[in-house]
Amino acid sequence: MTTSTNQPPRRRRHGCATALLAPFVAAARFQRPGRQDRLTDPAISGAQVARTCIGLGATVWLFFAYTLRREAGGVINDKLVEMLIAAAVLMVVGPLVVGAFVWSARPPLRGRYRRRLPGPLTAFGVLFGAAALLVFSFQSNLNGSFIAGGGVAGSLLSLLTGIASLFLLPFVLASSVLSVHHSFRTADVHEVLPPLLSPVVVTVMSALQALDGPPVNAPQSVWLLFLAGAPLSVTALSFWELGRLRTRYGITLRGALGR
């Protein structure tokens, strides 16, 4: 005869680690594709991770290899504004690409894709909203007069804004990386959309960086190579990904559009 004892489940411990990881967990929840029946290919996922790691590594190397053009605070402030502008541009470019895809699809595929749009729209909206709030909290010329004229309420708002920025900064940084990595959850609509949208997103971001100028005192050749490397490598990876979807799974753009 055997006896069994029911032990109460162990409670999860919440502490500093959970608080520090919260912005990154939230960013992954908003930016990671959520459609359960979407195709996942280990080789494609591995190549996307490698691409993201190489891009981050190149950025870190650029900042460590060369001195900053301005003080660190000014560079961070410029990058926040650049991030907001990039998010605003992508809020237009991304939906245009996705909208053109959905509109070009034949019924009943068009209706199916339309029902899958909340995922990408959430990814776009969350990144833009968080970037706008973060820029507002860091721009004293935007919020200073508003807070100064608010008395006690203004002081409380200033405190809440400072606390929120501690969450928003890592959240926006993680969301920016993950949004490019996951192509704003466009795989929720169809598997061919990420390789179609990725080159557009990266090219737009590289163009904005080119207009803003280098944040470090790097030679012009290094800066141009840095700017050109991202869109060229992402475009090459997108062609490879589309080819793999076609040869391994029979998924093509024409088939996705029902044509």
Side-chain angles (χ1 to χ4, degrees):
M1 180 176 180
T2 60
T3 59
S4 61
T5 58
N6 295 325
Q7 296 181 352
R10 305 177 95 181
R11 293 183 178 179
R12 297 176 61 183
R13 296 182 179 180
H14 299 273
C16 294
T18 303
L20 292 174
L21 291 175
F24 304 98
V25 173
R29 183 168 298 177
F30 282 113
Q31 299 297 337
R32 185 180 298 158
R35 181 163 62 91
Q36 298 298 324
D37 60 341
R38 65 187 175 88
L39 172 68
T40 56
D41 183 280
I44 292 176
S45 300
Q48 292 173 344
V49 170
R51 179 200 67 198
T52 303
C53 292
I54 291 173
L56 289 175
T59 302
V60 171
W61 171 82
L62 188 71
F63 277 92
F64 274 93
Y66 301 98
T67 58
L68 297 175
R69 283 182 175 270
R70 300 172 54 189
E71 66 277 2
V75 172
I76 294 175
N77 192 43
D78 288 346
K79 287 300 174 184
L80 288 175
V81 175
E82 179 184 299
M83 192 178 300
L84 177 61
I85 296 174
V89 172
L90 295 177
M91 278 286 292
V92 177
V93 176
L96 282 177
V97 174
V98 177
F101 174 84
V102 174
W103 181 82
S104 301
R106 290 181 175 177
L109 293 175
R110 185 182 303 169
R112 182 189 306 171
Y113 297 154
R114 193 182 298 119
R115 290 189 295 270
R116 295 174 179 176
L117 288 177
L121 292 177
T122 299
F124 280 115
V126 166
L127 177 58
F128 178 76
L133 288 175
L134 187 61
V135 170
F136 176 81
S137 65
F138 273 81
Q139 292 284 333
S140 57
N141 59 334
L142 292 177
N143 59 34
S145 58
F146 178 77
I147 291 175
V152 177
S155 300
L156 180 60
L157 179 60
S158 177
L159 176 62
L160 293 176
T161 302
I163 295 175
S165 63
L166 295 178
F167 175 89
L168 287 173
L169 181 58
F171 175 80
V172 170
L173 292 175
S175 293
S176 300
V177 174
L178 291 174
S179 65
V180 177
H181 177 72
H182 292 296
S183 300
F184 292 96
R185 293 182 60 175
T186 49
D188 280 353
V189 179
H190 196 277
E191 287 78 5
V192 300
L193 269 176
L196 292 176
L197 183 63
S198 294
V200 178
V201 171
V202 176
T203 300
V204 169
M205 296 180 70
S206 296
L208 291 174
Q209 288 180 330
L211 293 175
D212 190 43
V216 296
N217 295 303
Q220 191 70 15
S221 58
V222 174
W223 179 240
L224 291 176
L225 181 62
F226 179 81
L227 290 177
L232 289 177
S233 60
V234 170
T235 301
L237 178 61
S238 295
F239 275 109
W240 173 82
E241 185 174 342
L242 288 170
R244 185 172 178 86
L245 288 174
R246 183 183 67 255
T247 56
R248 292 291 296 268
Y249 305 101
I251 298 176
T252 63
L253 177 59
R254 292 187 63 181
L257 298 176
R259 297 180 181 276

